[in-house]
Structure formats: structure tokens, C-alpha cells
Amino acid sequence: DQSGIMVKKFKRFESYKREQQFPSRVKDLAIVMDQKNSTIVLPIMGRPVPFHIQTIKNASKSDEGDFSYLRINFLSPGQGVGRKDDQPFEDVSAHFVRSLTFRSHDGERFQDISNQIANMKKDAVKREQEKKEMED
Amino acid sequence: MESFDGIYLDLSQEPGKCRFAENGFGWKPSAGETYTLDAGNIAGAQWSRAAKGYEVKILHRDSSVIQLDGFAQEDFDRLSKIFKNWYNTNLDHKEHALRGWNWGKGEFGKAELAFNVQNRPAFEIPYSEILNTNLAGKNEVAVEFIMPTTGETGTKENLGGARGKGKKTGAGKDQLVEMRFYIPGLASVTKDEPGSEEEGEA
């Protein structure tokens, strides 16, 4: 592998190695939180698409009319100047998914997902810090 | 004739029976009309993991895509022979990216925009599902999807709620409304001017 070093560096980001690892609930074409793999699986045009918690910046829920909206923001380059760079980007010339917005009639569920993302993110940051302290 | 049960056509609510024959294939829900496609309209086919199970995605000659989801992994050999012998088409095994990364490369195909992570698609967006795109900010492109109207249950009720062109995001209870991409190099910033990006931001 020509980018062996990079691959090694980003190994901790891997959601799944095999298709069989998807939670079975992905068949419902709904958002699935996979705590065990620190991953959120999003339905995009009939396909379950994993996003590792380390790619996520935050999530927010809002209401408008009959619908609730869940916006998931991802980490990408150029999001504000002087921000503490807790996310090294493997390739700044790549294209990034910056945000995905879903709507649903079940606002409570979206609030719950939003909270779960925040908690998962908190745990991930904590784990990273502990790892860093161990290395130092 | 080769037959498969429990197959979902274009993210349909109801599963149906899928029958392949030399002159084309048909999909029939438990009640209602049958969808058929002539062999002559099949321009390509892909095999990959989808939501219900494994998916055969057919590229139509008119540059639309037809999704058949719910096959078992071990159906691949049978289907591969069907496509090769009857439709003179390879059933390409397309493994999707499972890394969970949000960076890669957007690539424009005939019918879809594919977002590739390490040369494997993470997801695809059929052009038929896009309502609008706009430059939402510096280096930011927003893609809006066609949303179903209230009470709408699919393309045609009698096709088991199958969701053809412009209906796909309405298939699940969580419906994708908008997607934003960061695309570097949209602004006219040259490489030899480090810092110019920050200046532009202020």
C-alpha cells in the first residue's frame, strides 16, 4: 500500500470490515445507532451508509410544521479559523460530506438520536484523550 | 425461468416475486400489477449489499436505475449466470466502503453521483432524486432532494409502493432532505498563497 503510514494513522476510524457487521435493523431504512462500533448508520437512497463518530462534529434537532429535522454536521476543512485542530485531515484535497439533514414525523426519536450522538461523541473524545495520555 | 421471492423493487413497502426470463424480467407484488423490463433495456447491472439484503441494481438504457433489494448472498452465482447468458451483461460485484469516513471523491456517472471512499462507493445519488443544487457558501455545495407530498405512498399504489424516479427519499421514516459537500478549489485561491483562504473568510 503506497499510503501505508496514513492508513495506519487512520485505522481507528474504521466502522466495519465486513458487510455482515451491519446491525440487522438497517433493513428498516431508518437511522441506526451502533454503539458497539461507535458508528451511526444513515439510510441514503436505500443503502445503509456508516459514518464513524470521529467524523461527526455535532447534531441538532429542530421542528418545522408537521416534521422534525435532524441535521448531522461532519468535520471538514475550513470550518472557522483558529479552531483547535482536534481532527487531522488525511487529505484536504478530498471532497467531504459536510452535513446531512433528515426529516421525520417522530420528533422524540430524533431528539433521542441527537442526544445519543452527543454522548457517543463525548465518549469518543474521552477515549482519545486517555489514549493520548497513555502515549505521553 | 428463474424466480426469487421477497424482493423489493425500488424501495417498495411490499416485497414481491422477481422472475427472470430470456426476454426480460418481471416483479410482482402479492396484490397488484406486475412491473416488467425488456432485456433490451438492460445496459448494465451491479451487485452489492443494500438494506434488506443484497441488491441487483440495473442500469436502464434511458440512464435511470432500477433497484431490486432482498437477495441472499448466495444468489450471486445464479444471478450472475442469468445476466451473462440472457442479457449479455456482467453482474459487477460492487463492494461498498464500510470505513465510515466522510471524505472521498464525488464522481459523476451516467445515472448517479457516486461518493467514493478509497475507490469504493460509500453511497450513490440518482440524478432523478435531486430537486436542486446550489453553492451554499465558499467551497460548499448543497444538494436538495425531491420530497414526497403528504399522504403519498410511492410511485404507484399497485406496484406495492415502489418508488421510481423522484420518489426514493420518501421510502423510509427518516427521509433525507439535504446533503452538503465541501469541495476544495471552488474559490479562486491559488496554491502559492497560503493564508489567502483565511483572509477570504474574514
Side-chain angles (χ1 to χ4, degrees):
Chain A
D1 197 305
Q2 52 187 9
S3 59
I5 299 157
M6 284 303 185
V7 171
K8 206 175 269 173
K9 194 176 166 189
F10 280 86
K11 219 166 198 171
R12 60 181 191 268
F13 270 84
E14 198 161 47
S15 286
Y16 304 115
K17 284 196 197 313
R18 294 183 313 277
E19 290 153 346
Q20 289 77 9
Q21 290 173 290
F22 274 121
S24 60
R25 283 170 298 142
V26 301
K27 69 181 188 319
D28 299 330
L29 299 177
I31 297 169
V32 172
M33 299 294 296
D34 182 359
Q35 304 281 353
K36 204 179 80 192
N37 292 296
S38 301
T39 291
I40 173 164
V41 186
L42 302 174
I44 301 178
M45 300 299 152
R47 192 179 299 288
V49 184
F51 288 95
H52 197 277
I53 191 66
Q54 300 226 35
T55 66
I56 292 174
K57 192 179 170 197
N58 55 39
S60 63
K61 179 236 175 195
S62 62
D63 300 300
E64 208 184 301
D66 291 341
F67 286 99
S68 287
Y69 292 80
L70 180 71
R71 180 176 168 138
I72 300 165
N73 292 310
F74 298 88
L75 291 162
S76 63
Q79 288 168 315
V81 185
R83 192 176 61 87
K84 223 181 1 164
D85 204 13
D86 51 1
Q87 164 89 5
F89 294 108
E90 186 209 31
D91 179 6
V92 284
S93 71
H95 302 162
F96 284 72
V97 175
R98 189 168 252 186
S99 76
L100 291 171
T101 306
F102 288 85
R103 76 173 193 186
S104 157
H105 283 299
D106 192 348
E108 255 173 66
R109 214 177 117 260
F110 268 10
Q111 188 57 58
D112 185 46
I113 291 170
S114 172
N115 296 343
Q116 283 188 57
I117 290 173
N119 287 333
M120 205 190 255
K121 180 86 205 158
K122 227 185 290 168
D123 292 346
V125 169
K126 206 173 134 199
R127 267 204 308 275
E128 275 309 293
Q129 268 167 357
E130 282 170 1
K131 218 159 109 190
K132 224 177 246 173
E133 276 163 29
M134 297 265 280
E135 279 165 8
D136 286 347
Chain B
M1 178 89 76
E2 295 267 14
S3 182
F4 298 84
D5 284 316
I7 305 302
Y8 295 78
L9 168 72
D10 285 332
L11 324 184
S12 61
Q13 310 265 289
E14 305 290 331
K17 192 187 262 295
C18 201
R19 285 201 185 100
F20 294 89
E22 201 158 354
N23 58 349
F25 76 89
W27 178 88
K28 190 179 167 38
S30 54
E33 263 176 51
T34 301
Y35 170 88
T36 57
L37 188 74
D38 287 340
N41 284 322
I42 299 172
Q46 280 176 16
W47 172 262
S48 60
R49 169 70 214 252
K52 310 284 185 190
Y54 282 80
E55 176 195 74
V56 172
K57 184 192 277 178
I58 293 161
L59 180 65
H60 193 285
R61 289 235 177 265
D62 71 4
S63 291
S64 61
V65 289
I66 297 133
Q67 289 171 279
L68 295 167
D69 189 2
F71 293 99
Q73 200 174 7
E74 50 277 16
D75 291 337
F76 176 74
D77 289 342
R78 240 174 103 198
L79 285 157
S80 184
K81 274 179 202 140
I82 290 171
F83 278 82
K84 187 159 228 136
N85 296 340
W86 288 343
Y87 311 141
N88 208 12
T89 303
N90 264 338
L91 181 61
D92 297 325
H93 191 166
K94 261 264 194 267
E95 269 186 74
H96 279 66
L98 301 173
R99 290 181 175 267
W101 294 359
N102 70 321
W103 66 96
K105 198 163 190 300
E107 275 169 30
F108 294 93
K110 253 191 188 141
E112 301 176 307
L113 163 64
F115 190 77
N116 295 318
V117 173
Q118 290 196 313
N119 297 319
R120 284 182 181 184
F123 56 83
E124 298 96 345
I125 305 288
Y127 302 132
S128 60
E129 311 308 307
I130 297 173
L131 174 71
N132 198 12
T133 61
N134 67 291
L135 201 57
K138 199 177 147 202
N139 296 324
E140 190 168 306
V141 174
V143 179
E144 276 176 70
F145 299 101
I146 302 168
M147 302 310 292
T149 49
T150 310
E152 185 207 283
T153 53
T155 312
K156 277 184 185 168
E157 295 267 9
N158 52 18
L159 269 185
R163 296 190 163 268
K165 283 185 187 175
K167 308 282 183 190
K168 283 183 181 169
T169 197
K173 55 181 176 176
D174 298 332
Q175 306 174 339
L176 184 60
V177 177
E178 190 206 62
M179 182 180 278
R180 287 182 182 228
F181 293 98
Y182 165 85
I183 312 284
L186 283 177
S188 54
V189 179
T190 57
K191 271 185 187 162
D192 2 23
E193 289 173 42
S196 57
E197 208 152 316
E198 276 80 3
E199 280 160 34
E201 209 95 347

mmCIF file of all heavy atoms in Angstrom, chain B residues 45-85:
data_model
loop_
_atom_site.group_PDB
_atom_site.id
_atom_site.type_symbol
_atom_site.label_atom_id
_atom_site.label_comp_id
_atom_site.label_asym_id
_atom_site.label_seq_id
_atom_site.Cartn_x
_atom_site.Cartn_y
_atom_site.Cartn_z
ATOM 1 N N ALA B 45 -25.485 -3.978 -14.900
ATOM 2 C CA ALA B 45 -26.026 -4.469 -13.637
ATOM 3 C C ALA B 45 -24.936 -4.551 -12.580
ATOM 4 O O ALA B 45 -23.784 -4.874 -12.888
ATOM 5 C CB ALA B 45 -26.669 -5.841 -13.837
ATOM 6 N N GLN B 46 -25.311 -4.218 -11.347
ATOM 7 C CA GLN B 46 -24.361 -4.254 -10.225
ATOM 8 C C GLN B 46 -24.940 -5.050 -9.070
ATOM 9 O O GLN B 46 -26.141 -5.043 -8.827
ATOM 10 C CB GLN B 46 -24.099 -2.831 -9.726
ATOM 11 C CG GLN B 46 -23.108 -2.072 -10.558
ATOM 12 C CD GLN B 46 -22.967 -0.641 -10.061
ATOM 13 O OE1 GLN B 46 -23.385 -0.320 -8.952
ATOM 14 N NE2 GLN B 46 -22.371 0.193 -10.877
ATOM 15 N N TRP B 47 -24.055 -5.685 -8.351
ATOM 16 C CA TRP B 47 -24.412 -6.482 -7.172
ATOM 17 C C TRP B 47 -23.749 -5.843 -5.950
ATOM 18 O O TRP B 47 -22.542 -5.602 -5.973
ATOM 19 C CB TRP B 47 -23.897 -7.905 -7.380
ATOM 20 C CG TRP B 47 -24.010 -8.802 -6.199
ATOM 21 C CD1 TRP B 47 -23.021 -9.103 -5.290
ATOM 22 C CD2 TRP B 47 -25.164 -9.564 -5.805
ATOM 23 N NE1 TRP B 47 -23.496 -10.001 -4.375
ATOM 24 C CE2 TRP B 47 -24.807 -10.306 -4.659
ATOM 25 C CE3 TRP B 47 -26.456 -9.697 -6.310
ATOM 26 C CZ2 TRP B 47 -25.692 -11.157 -4.001
ATOM 27 C CZ3 TRP B 47 -27.339 -10.543 -5.663
ATOM 28 C CH2 TRP B 47 -26.954 -11.263 -4.526
ATOM 29 N N SER B 48 -24.526 -5.547 -4.926
ATOM 30 C CA SER B 48 -23.915 -5.011 -3.713
ATOM 31 C C SER B 48 -24.832 -5.198 -2.514
ATOM 32 O O SER B 48 -26.000 -5.543 -2.649
ATOM 33 C CB SER B 48 -23.592 -3.520 -3.881
ATOM 34 O OG SER B 48 -24.772 -2.805 -4.152
ATOM 35 N N ARG B 49 -24.278 -4.950 -1.339
ATOM 36 C CA ARG B 49 -25.052 -5.042 -0.109
ATOM 37 C C ARG B 49 -25.944 -3.804 -0.028
ATOM 38 O O ARG B 49 -25.488 -2.692 -0.228
ATOM 39 C CB ARG B 49 -24.094 -5.112 1.085
ATOM 40 C CG ARG B 49 -24.724 -4.946 2.464
ATOM 41 C CD ARG B 49 -25.575 -6.140 2.843
ATOM 42 N NE ARG B 49 -26.699 -5.684 3.634
ATOM 43 C CZ ARG B 49 -26.855 -5.875 4.937
ATOM 44 N NH1 ARG B 49 -25.998 -6.535 5.586
ATOM 45 N NH2 ARG B 49 -27.883 -5.393 5.585
ATOM 46 N N ALA B 50 -27.241 -4.015 0.257
ATOM 47 C CA ALA B 50 -28.146 -2.881 0.440
ATOM 48 C C ALA B 50 -28.827 -3.017 1.795
ATOM 49 O O ALA B 50 -28.230 -3.530 2.738
ATOM 50 C CB ALA B 50 -29.146 -2.826 -0.707
ATOM 51 N N ALA B 51 -30.071 -2.564 1.924
ATOM 52 C CA ALA B 51 -30.716 -2.532 3.237
ATOM 53 C C ALA B 51 -31.378 -3.862 3.612
ATOM 54 O O ALA B 51 -31.188 -4.382 4.696
ATOM 55 C CB ALA B 51 -31.740 -1.405 3.288
ATOM 56 N N LYS B 52 -32.170 -4.409 2.701
ATOM 57 C CA LYS B 52 -32.918 -5.633 3.013
ATOM 58 C C LYS B 52 -32.047 -6.871 2.888
ATOM 59 O O LYS B 52 -32.331 -7.906 3.466
ATOM 60 C CB LYS B 52 -34.105 -5.788 2.049
ATOM 61 C CG LYS B 52 -34.971 -4.565 1.906
ATOM 62 C CD LYS B 52 -35.878 -4.365 3.095
ATOM 63 C CE LYS B 52 -36.815 -3.187 2.835
ATOM 64 N NZ LYS B 52 -37.546 -2.813 4.072
ATOM 65 N N GLY B 53 -31.065 -6.763 2.076
ATOM 66 C CA GLY B 53 -30.162 -7.875 1.804
ATOM 67 C C GLY B 53 -29.212 -7.445 0.706
ATOM 68 O O GLY B 53 -28.697 -6.337 0.752
ATOM 69 N N TYR B 54 -29.049 -8.289 -0.293
ATOM 70 C CA TYR B 54 -28.194 -7.906 -1.421
ATOM 71 C C TYR B 54 -29.047 -7.352 -2.553
ATOM 72 O O TYR B 54 -30.200 -7.736 -2.730
ATOM 73 C CB TYR B 54 -27.334 -9.086 -1.868
ATOM 74 C CG TYR B 54 -26.172 -9.272 -0.921
ATOM 75 C CD1 TYR B 54 -26.351 -9.919 0.298
ATOM 76 C CD2 TYR B 54 -24.931 -8.728 -1.204
ATOM 77 C CE1 TYR B 54 -25.305 -10.039 1.203
ATOM 78 C CE2 TYR B 54 -23.884 -8.840 -0.309
ATOM 79 C CZ TYR B 54 -24.073 -9.496 0.893
ATOM 80 O OH TYR B 54 -23.037 -9.603 1.787
ATOM 81 N N GLU B 55 -28.444 -6.417 -3.275
ATOM 82 C CA GLU B 55 -29.185 -5.674 -4.286
ATOM 83 C C GLU B 55 -28.633 -5.923 -5.684
ATOM 84 O O GLU B 55 -27.423 -5.960 -5.886
ATOM 85 C CB GLU B 55 -29.065 -4.183 -3.969
ATOM 86 C CG GLU B 55 -29.704 -3.265 -4.987
ATOM 87 C CD GLU B 55 -29.235 -1.822 -4.808
ATOM 88 O OE1 GLU B 55 -28.077 -1.517 -5.169
ATOM 89 O OE2 GLU B 55 -30.022 -1.025 -4.292
ATOM 90 N N VAL B 56 -29.575 -6.081 -6.631
ATOM 91 C CA VAL B 56 -29.202 -6.023 -8.043
ATOM 92 C C VAL B 56 -29.658 -4.660 -8.528
ATOM 93 O O VAL B 56 -30.845 -4.336 -8.458
ATOM 94 C CB VAL B 56 -29.887 -7.136 -8.868
ATOM 95 C CG1 VAL B 56 -29.625 -6.922 -10.355
ATOM 96 C CG2 VAL B 56 -29.400 -8.512 -8.428
ATOM 97 N N LYS B 57 -28.712 -3.857 -8.939
ATOM 98 C CA LYS B 57 -29.060 -2.539 -9.474
ATOM 99 C C LYS B 57 -28.903 -2.596 -10.976
ATOM 100 O O LYS B 57 -27.837 -2.938 -11.494
ATOM 101 C CB LYS B 57 -28.141 -1.471 -8.877
ATOM 102 C CG LYS B 57 -28.533 -0.067 -9.323
ATOM 103 C CD LYS B 57 -27.473 0.929 -8.971
ATOM 104 C CE LYS B 57 -27.608 1.384 -7.537
ATOM 105 N NZ LYS B 57 -26.537 2.321 -7.170
ATOM 106 N N ILE B 58 -29.981 -2.284 -11.678
ATOM 107 C CA ILE B 58 -29.952 -2.357 -13.130
ATOM 108 C C ILE B 58 -29.887 -0.954 -13.713
ATOM 109 O O ILE B 58 -30.668 -0.075 -13.337
ATOM 110 C CB ILE B 58 -31.187 -3.114 -13.652
ATOM 111 C CG1 ILE B 58 -31.071 -4.585 -13.217
ATOM 112 C CG2 ILE B 58 -31.296 -3.011 -15.174
ATOM 113 C CD1 ILE B 58 -32.357 -5.328 -13.245
ATOM 114 N N LEU B 59 -28.920 -0.778 -14.586
ATOM 115 C CA LEU B 59 -28.825 0.489 -15.299
ATOM 116 C C LEU B 59 -29.659 0.374 -16.574
ATOM 117 O O LEU B 59 -29.402 -0.480 -17.420
ATOM 118 C CB LEU B 59 -27.362 0.802 -15.631
ATOM 119 C CG LEU B 59 -27.096 2.096 -16.383
ATOM 120 C CD1 LEU B 59 -27.475 3.314 -15.542
ATOM 121 C CD2 LEU B 59 -25.639 2.196 -16.800
ATOM 122 N N HIS B 60 -30.689 1.205 -16.655
ATOM 123 C CA HIS B 60 -31.602 1.207 -17.805
ATOM 124 C C HIS B 60 -30.947 1.969 -18.964
ATOM 125 O O HIS B 60 -30.141 2.867 -18.734
ATOM 126 C CB HIS B 60 -32.901 1.908 -17.374
ATOM 127 C CG HIS B 60 -34.051 1.722 -18.311
ATOM 128 N ND1 HIS B 60 -34.128 2.378 -19.516
ATOM 129 C CD2 HIS B 60 -35.171 0.969 -18.199
ATOM 130 C CE1 HIS B 60 -35.258 2.027 -20.117
ATOM 131 N NE2 HIS B 60 -35.909 1.170 -19.342
ATOM 132 N N ARG B 61 -31.312 1.598 -20.188
ATOM 133 C CA ARG B 61 -30.761 2.307 -21.361
ATOM 134 C C ARG B 61 -31.083 3.797 -21.343
ATOM 135 O O ARG B 61 -30.366 4.599 -21.928
ATOM 136 C CB ARG B 61 -31.310 1.706 -22.666
ATOM 137 C CG ARG B 61 -30.771 0.341 -22.965
ATOM 138 C CD ARG B 61 -30.132 0.224 -24.329
ATOM 139 N NE ARG B 61 -29.578 -1.112 -24.486
ATOM 140 C CZ ARG B 61 -28.305 -1.406 -24.237
ATOM 141 N NH1 ARG B 61 -27.461 -0.474 -23.890
ATOM 142 N NH2 ARG B 61 -27.874 -2.654 -24.348
ATOM 143 N N ASP B 62 -32.188 4.163 -20.654
ATOM 144 C CA ASP B 62 -32.550 5.588 -20.603
ATOM 145 C C ASP B 62 -31.812 6.322 -19.479
ATOM 146 O O ASP B 62 -32.185 7.431 -19.105
ATOM 147 C CB ASP B 62 -34.067 5.754 -20.455
ATOM 148 C CG ASP B 62 -34.579 5.360 -19.077
ATOM 149 O OD1 ASP B 62 -33.764 5.023 -18.192
ATOM 150 O OD2 ASP B 62 -35.813 5.388 -18.872
ATOM 151 N N SER B 63 -30.774 5.673 -18.900
ATOM 152 C CA SER B 63 -29.939 6.258 -17.849
ATOM 153 C C SER B 63 -30.658 6.417 -16.509
ATOM 154 O O SER B 63 -30.274 7.249 -15.707
ATOM 155 C CB SER B 63 -29.354 7.618 -18.275
ATOM 156 O OG SER B 63 -28.410 7.421 -19.285
ATOM 157 N N SER B 64 -31.683 5.626 -16.260
ATOM 158 C CA SER B 64 -32.246 5.584 -14.911
ATOM 159 C C SER B 64 -31.758 4.286 -14.264
ATOM 160 O O SER B 64 -31.143 3.447 -14.928
ATOM 161 C CB SER B 64 -33.774 5.638 -14.955
ATOM 162 O OG SER B 64 -34.285 4.523 -15.652
ATOM 163 N N VAL B 65 -32.000 4.151 -12.971
ATOM 164 C CA VAL B 65 -31.594 2.913 -12.296
ATOM 165 C C VAL B 65 -32.810 2.232 -11.681
ATOM 166 O O VAL B 65 -33.749 2.884 -11.257
ATOM 167 C CB VAL B 65 -30.530 3.151 -11.189
ATOM 168 C CG1 VAL B 65 -29.199 3.516 -11.782
ATOM 169 C CG2 VAL B 65 -30.991 4.193 -10.192
ATOM 170 N N ILE B 66 -32.774 0.914 -11.673
ATOM 171 C CA ILE B 66 -33.824 0.111 -11.061
ATOM 172 C C ILE B 66 -33.163 -0.696 -9.947
ATOM 173 O O ILE B 66 -32.155 -1.361 -10.172
ATOM 174 C CB ILE B 66 -34.488 -0.820 -12.098
ATOM 175 C CG1 ILE B 66 -35.181 0.029 -13.172
ATOM 176 C CG2 ILE B 66 -35.480 -1.764 -11.438
ATOM 177 C CD1 ILE B 66 -34.893 -0.409 -14.560
ATOM 178 N N GLN B 67 -33.711 -0.587 -8.744
ATOM 179 C CA GLN B 67 -33.118 -1.273 -7.601
ATOM 180 C C GLN B 67 -33.969 -2.475 -7.199
ATOM 181 O O GLN B 67 -35.166 -2.341 -6.950
ATOM 182 C CB GLN B 67 -32.990 -0.309 -6.414
ATOM 183 C CG GLN B 67 -31.916 0.760 -6.607
ATOM 184 C CD GLN B 67 -31.962 1.835 -5.528
ATOM 185 O OE1 GLN B 67 -32.775 2.746 -5.604
ATOM 186 N NE2 GLN B 67 -31.107 1.731 -4.528
ATOM 187 N N LEU B 68 -33.334 -3.630 -7.125
ATOM 188 C CA LEU B 68 -34.003 -4.845 -6.640
ATOM 189 C C LEU B 68 -33.247 -5.307 -5.402
ATOM 190 O O LEU B 68 -32.111 -5.782 -5.504
ATOM 191 C CB LEU B 68 -33.987 -5.937 -7.714
ATOM 192 C CG LEU B 68 -34.769 -5.669 -9.001
ATOM 193 C CD1 LEU B 68 -34.385 -6.685 -10.079
ATOM 194 C CD2 LEU B 68 -36.269 -5.728 -8.746
ATOM 195 N N ASP B 69 -33.851 -5.146 -4.227
ATOM 196 C CA ASP B 69 -33.173 -5.443 -2.963
ATOM 197 C C ASP B 69 -33.821 -6.657 -2.306
ATOM 198 O O ASP B 69 -35.020 -6.889 -2.485
ATOM 199 C CB ASP B 69 -33.274 -4.214 -2.047
ATOM 200 C CG ASP B 69 -32.418 -4.341 -0.798
ATOM 201 O OD1 ASP B 69 -31.709 -5.354 -0.636
ATOM 202 O OD2 ASP B 69 -32.453 -3.399 0.029
ATOM 203 N N GLY B 70 -33.033 -7.404 -1.546
ATOM 204 C CA GLY B 70 -33.584 -8.517 -0.786
ATOM 205 C C GLY B 70 -33.067 -9.890 -1.205
ATOM 206 O O GLY B 70 -33.555 -10.911 -0.739
ATOM 207 N N PHE B 71 -32.052 -9.917 -2.077
ATOM 208 C CA PHE B 71 -31.475 -11.201 -2.460
ATOM 209 C C PHE B 71 -30.554 -11.712 -1.349
ATOM 210 O O PHE B 71 -30.085 -10.933 -0.513
ATOM 211 C CB PHE B 71 -30.662 -11.055 -3.764
ATOM 212 C CG PHE B 71 -31.502 -10.746 -4.965
ATOM 213 C CD1 PHE B 71 -31.623 -9.442 -5.431
ATOM 214 C CD2 PHE B 71 -32.188 -11.762 -5.626
ATOM 215 C CE1 PHE B 71 -32.398 -9.150 -6.540
ATOM 216 C CE2 PHE B 71 -32.969 -11.473 -6.746
ATOM 217 C CZ PHE B 71 -33.077 -10.165 -7.196
ATOM 218 N N ALA B 72 -30.321 -13.016 -1.364
ATOM 219 C CA ALA B 72 -29.383 -13.602 -0.408
ATOM 220 C C ALA B 72 -27.994 -13.602 -1.037
ATOM 221 O O ALA B 72 -27.858 -13.605 -2.257
ATOM 222 C CB ALA B 72 -29.803 -15.034 -0.070
ATOM 223 N N GLN B 73 -26.987 -13.592 -0.172
ATOM 224 C CA GLN B 73 -25.604 -13.527 -0.664
ATOM 225 C C GLN B 73 -25.310 -14.653 -1.656
ATOM 226 O O GLN B 73 -24.646 -14.445 -2.667
ATOM 227 C CB GLN B 73 -24.651 -13.612 0.526
ATOM 228 C CG GLN B 73 -23.269 -13.086 0.210
ATOM 229 C CD GLN B 73 -22.383 -13.032 1.450
ATOM 230 O OE1 GLN B 73 -22.758 -13.498 2.521
ATOM 231 N NE2 GLN B 73 -21.208 -12.467 1.297
ATOM 232 N N GLU B 74 -25.877 -15.843 -1.363
ATOM 233 C CA GLU B 74 -25.572 -16.999 -2.215
ATOM 234 C C GLU B 74 -26.355 -17.007 -3.530
ATOM 235 O O GLU B 74 -26.164 -17.889 -4.357
ATOM 236 C CB GLU B 74 -25.760 -18.312 -1.444
ATOM 237 C CG GLU B 74 -27.054 -18.496 -0.710
ATOM 238 C CD GLU B 74 -27.084 -17.847 0.677
ATOM 239 O OE1 GLU B 74 -26.218 -16.991 0.991
ATOM 240 O OE2 GLU B 74 -28.009 -18.174 1.437
ATOM 241 N N ASP B 75 -27.216 -16.006 -3.737
ATOM 242 C CA ASP B 75 -27.915 -15.890 -5.026
ATOM 243 C C ASP B 75 -27.014 -15.346 -6.135
ATOM 244 O O ASP B 75 -27.390 -15.352 -7.305
ATOM 245 C CB ASP B 75 -29.130 -14.949 -4.915
ATOM 246 C CG ASP B 75 -30.245 -15.538 -4.068
ATOM 247 O OD1 ASP B 75 -30.292 -16.778 -3.931
ATOM 248 O OD2 ASP B 75 -31.069 -14.758 -3.551
ATOM 249 N N PHE B 76 -25.844 -14.856 -5.746
ATOM 250 C CA PHE B 76 -24.993 -14.159 -6.719
ATOM 251 C C PHE B 76 -24.665 -15.009 -7.951
ATOM 252 O O PHE B 76 -24.802 -14.537 -9.087
ATOM 253 C CB PHE B 76 -23.698 -13.667 -6.062
ATOM 254 C CG PHE B 76 -22.744 -13.026 -7.034
ATOM 255 C CD1 PHE B 76 -22.990 -11.758 -7.542
ATOM 256 C CD2 PHE B 76 -21.609 -13.700 -7.471
ATOM 257 C CE1 PHE B 76 -22.121 -11.163 -8.454
ATOM 258 C CE2 PHE B 76 -20.738 -13.116 -8.383
ATOM 259 C CZ PHE B 76 -21.003 -11.844 -8.873
ATOM 260 N N ASP B 77 -24.249 -16.252 -7.726
ATOM 261 C CA ASP B 77 -23.837 -17.097 -8.855
ATOM 262 C C ASP B 77 -24.981 -17.317 -9.845
ATOM 263 O O ASP B 77 -24.786 -17.225 -11.057
ATOM 264 C CB ASP B 77 -23.310 -18.446 -8.348
ATOM 265 C CG ASP B 77 -21.959 -18.291 -7.672
ATOM 266 O OD1 ASP B 77 -21.308 -17.249 -7.903
ATOM 267 O OD2 ASP B 77 -21.563 -19.201 -6.921
ATOM 268 N N ARG B 78 -26.154 -17.592 -9.277
ATOM 269 C CA ARG B 78 -27.333 -17.816 -10.134
ATOM 270 C C ARG B 78 -27.642 -16.561 -10.954
ATOM 271 O O ARG B 78 -27.866 -16.624 -12.157
ATOM 272 C CB ARG B 78 -28.533 -18.110 -9.236
ATOM 273 C CG ARG B 78 -29.169 -19.457 -9.452
ATOM 274 C CD ARG B 78 -30.238 -19.677 -8.405
ATOM 275 N NE ARG B 78 -31.572 -19.486 -8.942
ATOM 276 C CZ ARG B 78 -32.642 -19.282 -8.172
ATOM 277 N NH1 ARG B 78 -32.522 -19.201 -6.860
ATOM 278 N NH2 ARG B 78 -33.827 -19.157 -8.718
ATOM 279 N N LEU B 79 -27.655 -15.413 -10.272
ATOM 280 C CA LEU B 79 -27.980 -14.155 -10.949
ATOM 281 C C LEU B 79 -26.922 -13.763 -11.970
ATOM 282 O O LEU B 79 -27.218 -13.239 -13.041
ATOM 283 C CB LEU B 79 -28.163 -13.047 -9.915
ATOM 284 C CG LEU B 79 -29.487 -13.131 -9.151
ATOM 285 C CD1 LEU B 79 -29.397 -12.422 -7.816
ATOM 286 C CD2 LEU B 79 -30.620 -12.532 -9.988
ATOM 287 N N SER B 80 -25.697 -14.027 -11.611
ATOM 288 C CA SER B 80 -24.586 -13.711 -12.499
ATOM 289 C C SER B 80 -24.741 -14.461 -13.826
ATOM 290 O O SER B 80 -24.544 -13.889 -14.906
ATOM 291 C CB SER B 80 -23.289 -14.104 -11.788
ATOM 292 O OG SER B 80 -22.200 -13.736 -12.561
ATOM 293 N N LYS B 81 -25.148 -15.737 -13.735
ATOM 294 C CA LYS B 81 -25.381 -16.541 -14.939
ATOM 295 C C LYS B 81 -26.573 -16.017 -15.735
ATOM 296 O O LYS B 81 -26.533 -15.955 -16.961
ATOM 297 C CB LYS B 81 -25.623 -18.004 -14.549
ATOM 298 C CG LYS B 81 -24.326 -18.775 -14.416
ATOM 299 C CD LYS B 81 -24.559 -20.224 -14.001
ATOM 300 C CE LYS B 81 -23.304 -20.796 -13.373
ATOM 301 N NZ LYS B 81 -23.595 -21.650 -12.223
ATOM 302 N N ILE B 82 -27.633 -15.634 -15.019
ATOM 303 C CA ILE B 82 -28.831 -15.097 -15.678
ATOM 304 C C ILE B 82 -28.450 -13.882 -16.531
ATOM 305 O O ILE B 82 -28.818 -13.778 -17.701
ATOM 306 C CB ILE B 82 -29.893 -14.685 -14.629
ATOM 307 C CG1 ILE B 82 -30.488 -15.938 -13.959
ATOM 308 C CG2 ILE B 82 -31.000 -13.835 -15.264
ATOM 309 C CD1 ILE B 82 -31.377 -15.634 -12.763
ATOM 310 N N PHE B 83 -27.700 -12.971 -15.913
ATOM 311 C CA PHE B 83 -27.353 -11.733 -16.626
ATOM 312 C C PHE B 83 -26.390 -11.999 -17.778
ATOM 313 O O PHE B 83 -26.487 -11.379 -18.832
ATOM 314 C CB PHE B 83 -26.807 -10.679 -15.659
ATOM 315 C CG PHE B 83 -27.909 -9.933 -14.960
ATOM 316 C CD1 PHE B 83 -28.537 -10.457 -13.843
ATOM 317 C CD2 PHE B 83 -28.360 -8.716 -15.458
ATOM 318 C CE1 PHE B 83 -29.588 -9.790 -13.222
ATOM 319 C CE2 PHE B 83 -29.405 -8.029 -14.842
ATOM 320 C CZ PHE B 83 -30.023 -8.575 -13.725
ATOM 321 N N LYS B 84 -25.467 -12.914 -17.560
ATOM 322 C CA LYS B 84 -24.486 -13.200 -18.596
ATOM 323 C C LYS B 84 -25.146 -13.922 -19.790
ATOM 324 O O LYS B 84 -24.999 -13.519 -20.938
ATOM 325 C CB LYS B 84 -23.363 -14.059 -18.006
ATOM 326 C CG LYS B 84 -22.218 -14.258 -18.983
ATOM 327 C CD LYS B 84 -20.942 -14.643 -18.271
ATOM 328 C CE LYS B 84 -19.789 -13.799 -18.746
ATOM 329 N NZ LYS B 84 -18.921 -13.302 -17.731
ATOM 330 N N ASN B 85 -25.894 -14.985 -19.478
ATOM 331 C CA ASN B 85 -26.431 -15.820 -20.552
ATOM 332 C C ASN B 85 -27.620 -15.187 -21.267
ATOM 333 O O ASN B 85 -27.756 -15.328 -22.476
ATOM 334 C CB ASN B 85 -26.862 -17.181 -19.989
ATOM 335 C CG ASN B 85 -25.681 -17.942 -19.440
ATOM 336 O OD1 ASN B 85 -24.532 -17.654 -19.793
ATOM 337 N ND2 ASN B 85 -25.936 -18.896 -18.564
#
